[in-house]
Amino acid sequence: MLCALLNIKHRTKKLCQPLIPQLVGWIWKLRYSGFPAMETLAETLDNWSSEIVCMWRFTKNNGITEGFHTKMEVIHRRAYGFRNFTNYRLRVIVMCG
């Protein structure tokens, strides 16, 4: 049930409001479960609760930016020791379009 709650997306503000007490209830149940791993999960969910609520409404992410950044890191690792920034810049443009 908690997984289903965390997978909800594309909701209006009015549809999100009843979900907040459910999330708080799950955090409370996990926090007082008596299992250290569940208490840690409750703390994590509590710390990320505002982001989880935003996730219910908005589905935008920065996956494309992270992908480009990973490609740039790979180029940088492979070109360790090279000093020509112009060549590095050209490689990034070719790899990332």
Side-chain angles (χ1 to χ4, degrees):
M1 186 69 179
L2 178 61
C3 289
L5 186 64
L6 295 176
N7 283 327
I8 294 173
K9 293 181 175 70
H10 304 292
R11 300 294 168 115
T12 63
K13 183 178 179 181
K14 191 173 184 177
L15 291 174
C16 289
Q17 288 175 344
L19 299 174
I20 295 171
Q22 290 180 19
L23 178 64
V24 171
W26 274 104
I27 292 171
W28 187 84
K29 286 178 188 177
L30 291 170
R31 182 170 285 146
Y32 297 106
S33 66
F35 297 106
M38 296 299 167
E39 293 170 2
T40 303
L41 176 61
E43 186 66 29
T44 302
L45 290 175
D46 193 27
N47 290 339
W48 286 86
S49 60
S50 61
E51 287 83 0
I52 292 170
V53 172
C54 287
M55 180 186 66
W56 290 336
R57 294 263 339 261
F58 309 106
T59 59
K60 302 292 182 197
N61 63 36
N62 63 345
I64 293 172
T65 305
E66 292 294 330
F68 288 150
H69 185 255
T70 302
K71 287 180 183 180
M72 290 169 57
E73 285 180 339
V74 168
I75 293 169
H76 189 262
R77 261 187 261 128
R78 287 177 49 194
Y80 183 76
F82 294 145
R83 297 182 183 181
N84 191 343
F85 180 76
T86 306
N87 286 342
Y88 169 73
R89 183 179 172 277
L90 290 174
R91 286 182 187 191
V92 168
I93 290 171
V94 167
M95 292 292 291
C96 298

